[in-house]
Amino acid sequence: MRIAISTGGGDAPGLNAVIRAAVLSAINRGWDVLGIKRGYAGLLGEDECIPLTKESVRGIAHLGGTILRSTNRGNPFHYPRPQPDGTITTEDRSDELMENARRLGIDALISIGGDGSLEIAKKLCDKGMRIVGVPKTIDNDVSGTVTTFGFDTAVNTALEAIDKLHTTAESHDRVMIMEVMGRDAGFIALHSGVAGTADVILIPEIPYDLGKVCEKIMARHRAGRQFSIVVVAEGAFPRGGRSSTMGDSLPGEARRVGGVADVIAREIQTITGKETRSLVLGHLQRGGMPTGYDRLLATRFGGAAVRAIADEKWGHMVALQTPHIVTVPIEEALRETKRVDPTHDVVITARAVGISFGD
Ligand code: F6P
């Protein structure tokens, strides 16, 4: 039995722990393991496939990033091809990929990725590749699993930043707006904001009214609380509006969401007259050592992926359905993007302790 492993899409703390657990579990069954470098590029002659041994995964569980590297522009069905005039078009290279996998004797593939990579995995599965998925994203927006590894680490990174912002905001009587990642889901903002006792949390699932945000800030001001902390998800948008975009995306890349913190900081300063500063936490949320929770979850996912291969669960992904790791059809998980439920107890409790969602 020869299996391969690939990591696609944005990296997330815990990827290396999945790789390590899968490699060791497979080798201990007497299987061979290949690592496909940079998403699927290693199967398209644009990077390499490397043997993964016990030696190659030694001492990596605590490291962020991925030893296999990753890309968010490696969809084999829409693969970028640079043209002589400098433009980039895309082409379907999935047949070539299937042929190269056959040539390398790959019997099954563990595809570790978010919704984009899982969608590719499903399409390759439909073409006959034997695939098991492992859901990964700091955004926590994959359905079918209670959580994804990387999310807890991102929340803790955001939380540390909120703690630090509190002291400087209070010293200067400022309003501080901190933008966190999450694309169209507000989980990172909600969890870090509630744990970090933010005053306002803005998420895409609850469109905001800036007037209400300012009311909350001024109510605090009148009560003698001169500073306020606003945590805003990058995908948040005003009622009747749409989310902000930051910079141009390259061909094959999703729209770059972000920039909302700067926009609302300027408006809040104009409306309230209070000195307001913004910051974008950005890719810091994807870096660093995975937390203990993420390392454990990633290790469980890696081990479960190998068991799923042994059980021939093709087209399934491993998932956490507390307290168990189960498998669910990738198709089912992709049916809808998981988003914050505005009636969830975390939101209700946040409101009960006085946090405003700007609605
Ligand atoms: O999906 C993970 C994520 O970090 C999002 O939260 C964010 O919008 C996006 O990826 C950023 O992608 P990139 O690294 O391509 O800028």
Side-chain angles (χ1 to χ4, degrees):
M1 183 76 167
R2 167 171 284 180
I3 68 164
I5 303 179
S6 79
T7 53
D11 64 339
L15 278 167
N16 283 325
V18 180
I19 295 169
R20 174 180 175 275
V23 167
L24 295 181
S25 305
I27 288 175
N28 288 335
R29 283 174 182 261
W31 299 356
D32 249 14
V33 190
L34 275 184
I36 304 170
K37 297 288 288 286
R38 222 155 39 87
Y40 291 107
L43 278 178
L44 292 171
E46 300 201 8
D47 210 321
E48 30 166 16
C49 288
I50 52 165
L52 290 176
T53 60
K54 286 189 177 179
E55 198 54 45
S56 40
V57 297
R58 183 161 296 155
I60 64 166
H62 64 293
L63 300 178
T66 159
I67 59 164
L68 293 176
R69 304 176 68 204
S70 193
T71 173
N72 57 3
R73 296 194 299 130
N75 184 342
F77 295 90
H78 300 282
Y79 207 79
R81 175 179 286 275
Q83 299 298 314
D85 65 357
T87 59
I88 300 178
T89 57
T90 61
E91 63 183 340
D92 184 352
R93 293 182 66 182
S94 56
D95 287 334
E96 185 185 338
L97 183 146
M98 295 293 291
E99 182 47 39
N100 288 340
R102 252 190 305 273
R103 204 174 34 76
L104 286 167
I106 295 172
D107 297 304
L109 171 69
I110 296 177
S111 169
I112 314 172
D115 49 2
S117 308
L118 291 171
E119 198 177 321
I120 296 166
K122 170 73 183 73
K123 283 168 89 175
L124 289 174
C125 220
D126 292 343
K127 277 178 99 80
M129 175 110 57
R130 306 199 301 176
I131 299 194
V132 165
V134 175
K136 159 248 59 164
T137 168
I138 63 163
D139 304 337
N140 191 30
D141 60 355
V142 178
S143 296
T145 183
V146 169
T147 189
T148 44
F149 65 86
F151 172 63
D152 186 64
T153 308
V155 167
N156 277 289
T157 299
L159 183 58
E160 193 186 338
I162 296 169
D163 288 346
K164 288 180 173 165
L165 284 180
H166 260 104
T167 51
T168 176
E170 187 157 17
S171 304
H172 286 268
D173 293 344
R174 279 177 178 158
V175 180
M176 300 291 306
I177 319 283
M178 184 175 96
E179 178 176 318
V180 296
M181 282 185 164
R183 292 202 70 85
D184 300 317
F187 291 105
I188 299 177
L190 178 66
H191 287 222
S192 63
V194 173
T197 67
D199 305 298
V200 179
I201 299 173
L202 304 178
I203 57 176
E205 294 85 348
I206 306 176
Y208 60 82
D209 170 346
L210 214 60
K212 299 273 191 216
V213 175
C214 293
E215 265 172 35
K216 168 73 186 177
I217 292 167
M218 292 317 285
R220 279 176 56 77
H221 179 88
R222 285 191 297 275
R225 306 294 281 157
Q226 308 289 342
F227 74 98
S228 285
I229 303 287
V230 178
V231 177
V232 57
E234 61 182 3
F237 55 90
R239 212 174 277 165
R242 61 180 310 239
S243 57
S244 316
T245 300
M246 193 152 45
D248 298 328
S249 34
L250 296 165
E253 183 192 338
R255 184 170 78 94
R256 294 184 194 173
V257 186
V260 59
D262 188 44
V263 174
I264 64 172
R266 274 187 265 139
E267 294 179 43
I268 288 172
Q269 180 163 299
T270 305
I271 298 169
T272 64
K274 288 189 72 71
E275 195 180 351
T276 305
R277 299 288 171 91
S278 68
L279 84 148
V280 178
L281 201 52
H283 290 81
L284 285 175
Q285 292 157 96
R286 296 227 302 249
M289 285 181 165
T291 57
Y293 182 91
D294 277 341
R295 264 185 248 183
L296 176 63
L297 180 63
T299 300
R300 293 173 76 193
F301 275 181
V306 168
R307 292 197 295 279
I309 289 178
D311 293 342
E312 306 196 346
K313 295 275 191 170
W314 314 129
H316 282 60
M317 67 170 202
V318 297
L320 175 68
Q321 287 179 7
T322 316
H324 302 293
I325 302 288
V326 299
T327 61
V328 295
I330 292 177
E331 205 173 351
E332 220 170 80
L334 290 180
R335 209 159 286 146
E336 60 176 336
T337 303
K338 186 168 73 181
R339 307 185 72 208
V340 171
D341 171 2
T343 66
H344 192 275
D345 79 87
V346 178
V347 178
I348 293 168
T349 297
R351 290 189 193 278
V353 300
I355 295 174
S356 164
F357 286 86
D359 61 340

